[in-house]
Amino acid sequence: SDVRQIDARVTIDYTDPNMDQSLDYETDSDANVSYPQQAFDGVKTMSYKWLSLDGSCTVDGSYHLAPRADQLDKYQFGWWGHKLSKEDGSFTLSDGIMVSHLPRPVHTLTVVGDSARGEYPVNFIIDLIAEDGTVLYSKQVYDNMEVNWQFTLPSPVLDVTQQSILIYKWSHPGRQAKITEFFTSVQETYYKDDIVSIDLLEEREASQGSLPVGNITSNELQLTLKNENGKFDADNKMSPLNKLLKPNRRIRAWIGVNNEWVPLGVFWSLDWDSSSVEATVTARDKMERLGKSTYQSSQVQENVSLYVLAEQVLQDAELKTDEYSIDPALKDIVIPYAWFNAVSHREVLRQIAEAGLAVVYADRDGIIRIEGFNSGLGLDPLEITDDEYFLPMQHPSQQSQVSNVVIVNTQPLIPQKEQQVYKSNTPINIPANGSTSITAYYNQSPIINASADLDNPPSGVSIVDAMYYGWGAEVKIQNTKSITQSVKLVINGQSLSAQNKERTEARDDTSIIENGDLRYEFPENKLVQTIAQAQHIANTLIESVKDSRRDVSFDWRGNPALLLGDMVRIEGTDYYVIRQEIKWR
């Protein structure tokens, strides 16, 4: 029809445990396998009936072995206590867990037992505690019969810094306490009646028809919500969001028709601004966060692929394997010597993308994608007819992005003779019966085959641990004597220096005749070390940039499922989407 009613939905996690670094916990007891940190991760359903040795399990195939610590991103286990309940379900001594966090208001109480086994606490006490230890509120529960127990407080309890639960009786005899969820996280979902506007900006310079040299972008969402009741006012202590309007709150947005929702992306909040009637927050995707964290564990590696390097960077940034996707084509680009200075994860990914002619971006599901030059080729285009866009349509030319001579220089790294690369300027004091850790930065980098030593160390002083990186080393020195002693640290190693550089180029004579000599020199990149790699870059780029490019820009009815990098056909010509602005009002 000519008129469409587009709905909108936004979910904000105001207490995302993955981002709230103030969260901590203490337990009265722990079973041999117990993961208390999952008691405040927002997941309320147990993955399986987990096997235990309390005599309650049978070998009938319905029970699963407990997950390992490295499997917690896939399975929910929660906190398991060590104490076993008596025949009537009571505990000789109560068992429990306490969660600590920054001051916040609490509106509801939540306790979730073991949904898979159907077990739950029967008698328990929950205390809400202030920073000075004062109990602000206490809830005593008897004869509970719910696995998922919830209680809405008569009025919010303010400035809570600790929440504790003590369990006195369990639903089954001879069992341990098992809590899947205890911490009351704050998550709110807003629909069209609550939302004033959504503005989404997506950018990704597509590789086709442009210079795909280390393209890396961060998409932005601006959200405006109604604030007629003052919920978003910073000084409203009765608001459930009091002291929760912070940076790094996860925001997810959708638009759709008839409950058919299309995601707009996953973002993290930056700045909040509220007035008497509206509250606005600006948020960016995960690429913004990667620009604020540092990659400082880089060691010099030999004959390593760009794929492996990218995976190491993403895992160092604590991304799980299902939170990123790397083009397998990067496995074919092998670097003789690879290393990075202590810079942001985003900058390292940019260098990798540049050397691999790739782009890096976060998709609508929040997954970091590193895609090579030819990804997306061969897809069927979406045809946009003149019935779907509004005049005027603009066709800006991009003559500045035309090049018919592409020049690429190599940066071959050659190992040098062993030499002293670090010596402490002043003696290092090592305390009596203690140790000191030193972070040493090499006089030049990168360094391979590094070895730390002490210059004429006194008796009892020695190096007990050392970790070597391309830029420096972390060394731990121990003193076994009962007096403070001083020593100097010396590190020897081999430097890698760029020598015997070579230059290669690719030319297109037809374009030179038509447009003149238009040169493009590929940026110096320490990951481009061989003439074969340099020539491949030059040959691939020249095919992309030898011809003049003309973009198309217009307003249209839109298709929210259209993604960056997708192909569209307009008036018989194929284009790739490199920028989208979606506005909802």
Side-chain angles (χ1 to χ4, degrees):
S1 65
D2 294 335
V3 178
R4 296 181 299 174
Q5 177 60 53
I6 306 298
D7 294 328
R9 181 180 65 165
V10 174
T11 295
I12 303 179
D13 295 306
Y14 290 101
T15 53
D16 184 353
N18 296 319
M19 295 302 302
D20 193 343
Q21 302 301 320
S22 70
L23 285 175
D24 201 0
Y25 61 87
E26 294 181 13
T27 61
D28 287 340
S29 73
D30 286 290
N32 290 334
V33 179
S34 178
Y35 301 112
Q37 66 270 30
Q38 288 191 327
F40 47 85
D41 62 358
V43 181
K44 298 181 179 180
T45 303
M46 196 71 79
S47 300
Y48 295 110
K49 291 167 61 178
W50 298 113
L51 181 70
S52 64
L53 301 179
D54 56 10
S56 65
C57 303
T58 58
V59 186
D60 59 1
S62 64
Y63 289 92
H64 290 249
L65 293 176
R68 302 188 307 269
D70 61 355
Q71 297 177 314
L72 297 186
D73 58 331
K74 300 178 181 179
Y75 304 108
Q76 188 70 14
F77 189 88
W79 168 66
W80 284 40
H82 179 72
K83 305 168 186 175
L84 295 179
S85 58
K86 296 188 293 187
E87 290 185 1
D88 62 351
S90 64
F91 291 102
T92 303
L93 295 174
S94 63
D95 214 349
I97 183 172
M98 180 170 66
V99 179
S100 303
H101 47 75
L102 292 174
R104 51 156 292 198
V106 174
H107 292 248
T108 60
L109 305 178
T110 298
V111 180
V112 182
D114 189 329
S115 59
R117 284 169 164 258
E119 299 180 21
Y120 49 88
V122 175
N123 299 341
F124 56 93
I125 296 177
I126 296 177
D127 288 335
L128 304 181
I129 305 169
E131 191 168 12
D132 62 1
T134 302
V135 177
L136 302 174
Y137 180 87
S138 185
K139 176 68 175 178
Q140 299 184 17
V141 179
Y142 298 97
D143 300 325
N144 169 55
M145 299 181 65
E146 297 179 338
V147 174
N148 190 337
W149 178 88
Q150 291 187 331
F151 178 75
T152 301
L153 298 173
S155 60
V157 179
L158 307 181
D159 296 322
V160 176
T161 62
Q162 293 179 331
Q163 303 179 50
S164 71
I165 178 173
L166 290 177
I167 302 171
Y168 295 92
K169 186 176 182 180
W170 197 247
S171 58
H172 294 67
R175 307 287 179 88
Q176 302 148 304
K178 306 173 184 70
I179 299 299
T180 308
E181 190 72 11
F182 169 57
F183 174 75
T184 54
S185 60
V186 178
Q187 180 190 89
E188 292 194 354
T189 299
Y190 308 97
Y191 293 91
K192 61 182 180 181
D193 292 339
D194 306 306
I195 304 171
V196 177
S197 64
I198 297 175
D199 291 272
L200 172 67
L201 172 61
E202 295 180 306
E203 288 184 296
R204 172 195 151 183
E205 180 59 73
S207 58
Q208 294 82 2
S210 68
L211 275 68
V213 181
N215 291 315
I216 185 166
T217 59
S218 180
N219 300 325
E220 182 175 284
L221 180 82
Q222 188 170 70
L223 170 67
T224 301
L225 301 169
K226 293 181 180 178
N227 189 36
E228 296 169 348
N229 57 5
K231 175 190 284 190
F232 298 96
D233 292 345
D235 57 353
N236 183 359
K237 293 186 177 181
M238 301 302 293
S239 168
L241 306 181
N242 181 248
K243 298 184 180 180
L244 297 179
L245 302 180
K246 301 177 182 180
N248 293 327
R249 302 300 96 181
R250 185 174 62 184
I251 300 176
R252 291 167 289 174
W254 299 261
I255 58 176
V257 179
N258 298 328
N259 290 322
E260 294 290 332
W261 298 106
V262 174
L264 297 182
V266 183
F267 306 88
W268 277 262
S269 61
L270 297 174
D271 299 319
W272 295 80
D273 184 23
S274 62
S275 65
S276 59
V277 293
E278 295 179 352
T280 299
V281 59
T282 300
R284 294 201 180 104
D285 65 23
K286 197 173 292 183
M287 294 306 307
E288 179 77 6
R289 290 171 55 194
L290 291 179
K292 296 179 179 179
S293 56
T294 302
Y295 182 53
Q296 54 188 12
S297 60
S298 173
Q299 298 176 319
V300 179
Q301 301 179 73
E302 296 185 40
N303 298 319
V304 60
S305 71
L306 292 181
Y307 183 99
V308 171
L309 291 174
E311 190 168 49
Q312 290 172 348
V313 175
L314 293 168
Q315 291 180 355
D316 186 82
E318 299 183 350
L319 270 68
K320 302 182 181 71
T321 55
D322 59 352
E323 293 180 308
Y324 61 82
S325 174
I326 307 173
D327 195 326
L330 295 183
K331 293 180 180 179
D332 298 329
I333 304 176
V334 178
I335 312 303
Y337 290 100
W339 73 285
F340 303 97
N341 279 321
V343 295
S344 71
H345 291 94
R346 175 171 171 154
E347 170 58 21
V348 176
L349 292 176
R350 187 201 66 77
Q351 295 177 30
I352 294 172
E354 185 178 75
L357 293 181
V359 293
V360 185
Y361 67 101
D363 68 12
R364 294 275 185 89
D365 295 318
I367 296 174
I368 300 296
R369 295 194 173 274
I370 304 176
E371 297 182 349
F373 182 77
N374 291 320
S375 63
L377 289 178
L379 298 177
D380 293 331
L382 170 68
E383 186 163 3
I384 301 176
T385 68
D386 53 7
D387 291 334
E388 298 175 290
Y389 59 81
F390 305 94
L391 295 175
M393 177 185 289
Q394 298 178 327
H395 292 272
S397 64
Q398 299 290 343
Q399 192 66 23
S400 62
Q401 297 185 355
V402 176
S403 299
N404 43 44
V405 179
V406 176
I407 301 169
V408 183
N409 295 320
T410 65
Q411 304 288 317
L413 295 178
I414 309 297
Q416 305 300 303
K417 293 181 180 180
E418 182 177 305
Q419 59 182 313
Q420 185 182 98
V421 296
Y422 172 86
K423 184 174 183 179
S424 49
N425 295 319
T426 58
I428 303 168
N429 292 325
I430 315 300
N433 298 314
S435 63
T436 298
S437 295
I438 302 296
T439 299
Y441 292 87
Y442 302 141
N443 296 325
Q444 53 186 307
S445 56
I447 297 297
I448 60 174
N449 301 323
S451 177
D453 201 358
L454 300 178
D455 188 9
N456 296 317
S459 175
V461 177
S462 62
I463 295 174
V464 293
D465 191 25
M467 180 64 70
Y468 303 101
Y469 306 105
W471 50 267
E474 295 178 351
V475 181
K476 183 177 181 180
I477 308 173
Q478 189 173 52
N479 178 14
T480 61
K481 298 297 184 180
S482 58
I483 59 171
T484 298
Q485 301 196 83
S486 300
V487 71
K488 282 194 173 184
L489 174 65
V490 176
I491 302 178
N492 293 320
Q494 292 178 268
S495 65
L496 292 173
S497 62
Q499 296 184 1
N500 306 320
K501 297 181 181 180
E502 297 178 288
R503 168 172 289 204
T504 185
E505 68 176 40
R507 305 168 59 89
D508 187 273
D509 293 334
T510 302
S511 178
I512 293 174
I513 294 173
E514 293 179 353
N515 302 293
D517 194 310
L518 301 174
R519 292 175 172 262
Y520 171 75
E521 188 157 344
F522 189 82
E524 287 194 358
N525 188 310
K526 61 191 177 187
L527 297 177
V528 180
Q529 298 175 15
T530 66
I531 194 67
Q533 183 186 0
Q535 190 64 60
H536 172 74
I537 292 173
N539 292 342
T540 306
L541 277 180
I542 196 68
E543 291 300 318
S544 175
V545 301
K546 65 182 182 180
D547 299 320
S548 60
R549 162 181 149 179
R550 186 173 293 276
D551 290 348
V552 60
S553 177
F554 57 90
D555 293 332
W556 70 306
R557 291 180 60 177
N559 181 347
L562 190 65
L563 304 177
L564 296 176
D566 284 352
M567 180 188 291
V568 297
R569 181 167 294 162
I570 305 169
E571 298 178 347
T573 302
D574 291 341
Y575 300 87
Y576 290 87
V577 179
I578 64 173
R579 177 186 172 98
Q580 285 197 109
E581 292 182 70
I582 297 178
K583 299 178 183 292
W584 183 93
R585 300 291 186 268

